[in-house]
Amino acid sequence: MSQITFTMFKPDAVVNGYAGKILNDITEAGFAIIAFKYTKLSPEMAGKFYAVHQERGFYNDLVSYMSSGPIYVAILQKVNAVADFRTLIGATDPSKAEAGTIRAKYAKSIEANAVHGSDSDENANIEANFFFTQFERF
Ligand code: ATP
Ligand code: MG
């Protein structure tokens, strides 16, 4: 059974020109792109998206970073999408990410770490619904 996951190409990946390479890595790994757009988060939207982290010391920096520039957002479909995508992107801290993973290749720091990937099926649906209507999914 196919599942979905949700991803963002974060501001650092976009500004450094890695969006095309990341998209290629994702499709080469067997994910179907069922929704895709170029957008920019307001600080309010970034705060809502990362609300689970609001007690963490890095929250305010994360919100201003995630609203600092445009991003690409996408819904990806594949068998075992959530877990396989987390494997493809690697550890949160790119210095600890396995060689060949998206974060190892393209991320700058633990904060500016190139991509987001949902951490559960439930959150994948919540995050996909945050950005996309049913009319934007094919
Ligand atoms: P994401 O949710 O973006 O896919 P993740 O699940 O690997 O990343 P989380 O623990 O959910 O990691 O953290 C969310 C984001 O917050 C990270 O991707 C990173 O941008 C930022 N972050 C996490 N830990 C730190 C930290 N110690 N210092 C600064 N920023 C951090
Ligand atoms: Mg996370």
Side-chain angles (χ1 to χ4, degrees), residues 10 50 53 58 62 86 92 103 110-111 113 115-117:
K10 297 185 180 184
Y50 280 114
H53 294 307
F58 59 78
L62 178 61
R86 300 283 298 195
T92 308
R103 282 170 169 163
I110 191 167
E111 177 178 78
N113 60 0
V115 285
H116 163 79

Side-chain angles (χ1 to χ4, degrees), residues 6 118-128:
F6 170 80
S118 306
D119 60 13
S120 66
D121 290 344
E122 187 190 359
N123 285 334
N125 280 300
I126 291 169
E127 293 168 3

Side-chain angles (χ1 to χ4, degrees), residues 53-62:
H53 294 307
Q54 61 194 350
E55 305 307 323
R56 312 280 291 275
F58 59 78
Y59 177 74
N60 287 336
D61 278 351
L62 178 61

Side-chain angles (χ1 to χ4, degrees), residues 26-87:
I26 290 171
T27 53
E28 292 264 296
F31 292 85
I33 294 158
I34 64 168
F36 193 69
K37 75 171 103 174
Y38 189 47
T39 186
K40 185 167 183 254
L41 288 170
S42 65
E44 292 70 29
M45 284 177 77
K48 251 187 225 168
F49 187 87
Y50 280 114
V52 292
H53 294 307
Q54 61 194 350
E55 305 307 323
R56 312 280 291 275
F58 59 78
Y59 177 74
N60 287 336
D61 278 351
L62 178 61
V63 168
S64 62
Y65 163 65
M66 285 303 298
S67 54
S68 67
I71 59 174
Y72 290 89
V73 294
I75 306 174
L76 311 175
Q77 189 173 51
K78 186 184 177 298
V79 172
N80 207 28
V82 167
D84 285 2
F85 192 67
R86 300 283 298 195
T87 302

